Amino acid sequence: MSGGLFALLDDVAVLARLAAASVDDVAAAAGRASAKAAGVVIDDTAVTPQYVHGLAAERELPIIRKIAVGSVRNKLLIILPVILLLSQFLPWVLTPILMLGGTYLCFEGAEKIWGKLSGHEEHTEALATEIGPEQEKQMVAGAVRTDLILSAEIMVIALNEVAEEPFLARALILVVVALGITVLVYGVVALIVKMDDVGLSLAGRANRVAQSVGHGLVRGMPWLLTAIGLVGTVAMLWVGGHILLVGTDDLGWHAPYDLVHHLEEDVAHAVGVLEGAVAWVVNTAFSAVVGLVVGAVVVAVLHLVPRPGRKAAH
């Protein structure tokens, strides 16, 4: 009896170790998949604060919470089932879809740069401090629609990194990615939008150190938002360009990716130190260049090429 009990306990221990290993594998795969979607995550983080700009302070976090809940619904109830079914029955469709998403990222990044250089940058009007429930509902709905596009790109990029995993493992990894990225993005957004309130609170204290920190936070907010937008733009070009390079290679056109790959190897060997980091920098730089070129072409077609019934932008 005791021998059977010990054997059972041993089996339970083995199963526990296997389960722990599986959890570690899922966490590691989710981490790799999330890292590949970094550019879109940064862009999502940079976009969201505009939706609460100008609102009363007590409404900022509730609205961010509503948008975050909508983001989870987008990922788990709409995007996840669709891309899992495609990966199971039409896996060849994922590369073209991913490349479309990469092209969109390139366009977004190039359009931001074109807007800065041409003076056609869109400026979001400050929202009234007091808005009614209907306006708030419409604003949240608009933010959730924007999130749907960005979340779709994040999930497809993540799926591409774990496409070889079994179906259930893919599903579990993508659920972890969806929840983890949502918490990360909207947690950071919540910190950003409340940073000025924290600064004002500290600035009003008697302690000189607290006052200095508070004034620094208030003054630093515009710089922080500008930096996030800049990093997001560069990340979109880099990630979008890399997606296109890898996608064309997967579809059979190997020359562009081989050129970048050989170049990064040559530069890394020539430098002789930190070869892995140097290779990454070279690959990232050329991916960003590819993203900028492709994005500029799309921007030119959409904004500059005259079409019937529309004049070219000057």
Side-chain angles (χ1 to χ4, degrees), residues 181-262:
I181 284 181
T182 302
V183 170
L184 173 64
V185 167
Y186 291 98
V188 171
V189 168
L191 289 175
I192 290 173
V193 300
K194 300 308 290 184
M195 190 177 294
D196 53 351
D197 292 337
V198 173
L200 289 173
S201 176
L202 291 175
R205 296 187 179 183
N207 187 289
R208 288 181 175 272
V209 175
Q211 289 178 358
S212 298
V213 173
H215 289 307
L217 288 175
V218 174
R219 287 194 300 266
M221 272 298 297
W223 293 96
L224 176 62
L225 293 175
T226 299
I228 291 174
L230 177 61
V231 172
T233 299
V234 174
M236 282 188 288
L237 294 174
W238 153 48
V239 174
H242 187 72
I243 289 172
L244 294 178
L245 283 173
V246 174
T248 53
D249 186 66
D250 290 342
L251 294 178
W253 187 26
H254 305 296
Y257 186 82
D258 287 345
L259 175 64
V260 173
H261 182 64
H262 292 317

Side-chain angles (χ1 to χ4, degrees), residues 21-258:
S22 299
V23 170
D24 289 341
D25 291 342
V26 168
R32 291 194 303 272
S34 300
K36 287 293 184 179
V40 194
V41 171
I42 294 172
D43 185 46
D44 204 359
T45 306
V47 166
T48 307
Q50 69 177 315
Y51 291 103
V52 295
H53 178 66
L55 288 178
E58 64 271 13
R59 294 305 305 153
E60 291 175 341
L61 292 183
I63 288 178
I64 290 173
R65 183 170 60 249
K66 289 179 181 180
I67 299 173
V69 170
S71 178
V72 171
R73 288 173 180 164
N74 284 341
K75 293 182 180 74
L76 298 185
L77 302 182
I78 300 175
I79 300 167
L80 183 60
V82 171
I83 64 174
L84 281 176
L85 288 174
L86 288 177
S87 69
Q88 188 68 20
F89 299 108
L90 295 171
W92 59 270
V93 175
L94 291 176
T95 295
I97 290 177
L98 195 61
M99 292 179 71
L100 285 175
T103 303
Y104 178 76
L105 284 177
C106 296
F107 162 70
E108 284 272 289
E111 187 179 44
K112 290 178 185 293
I113 294 175
W114 178 76
K116 287 283 188 183
L117 296 177
S118 65
H120 287 82
E121 184 181 16
E122 293 184 3
H123 298 282
T124 304
E125 293 293 331
L127 297 174
T129 304
E130 297 294 336
I131 65 172
E134 189 60 33
Q135 290 88 345
E136 183 176 304
K137 183 178 179 181
Q138 292 174 0
M139 183 178 59
V140 171
V144 172
R145 283 195 298 271
T146 300
D147 175 88
L148 179 63
I149 298 172
L150 297 172
S151 292
E153 294 171 11
I154 290 170
M155 297 297 284
V156 173
I157 292 171
L159 174 63
N160 190 59
E161 291 301 305
V162 296
E164 303 302 320
E165 298 288 340
F167 182 84
L168 290 179
R170 282 200 305 268
L172 183 57
I173 290 168
L174 291 177
V175 168
V176 173
V177 169
L179 296 176
I181 284 181
T182 302
V183 170
L184 173 64
V185 167
Y186 291 98
V188 171
V189 168
L191 289 175
I192 290 173
V193 300
K194 300 308 290 184
M195 190 177 294
D196 53 351
D197 292 337
V198 173
L200 289 173
S201 176
L202 291 175
R205 296 187 179 183
N207 187 289
R208 288 181 175 272
V209 175
Q211 289 178 358
S212 298
V213 173
H215 289 307
L217 288 175
V218 174
R219 287 194 300 266
M221 272 298 297
W223 293 96
L224 176 62
L225 293 175
T226 299
I228 291 174
L230 177 61
V231 172
T233 299
V234 174
M236 282 188 288
L237 294 174
W238 153 48
V239 174
H242 187 72
I243 289 172
L244 294 178
L245 283 173
V246 174
T248 53
D249 186 66
D250 290 342
L251 294 178
W253 187 26
H254 305 296
Y257 186 82
D258 287 345

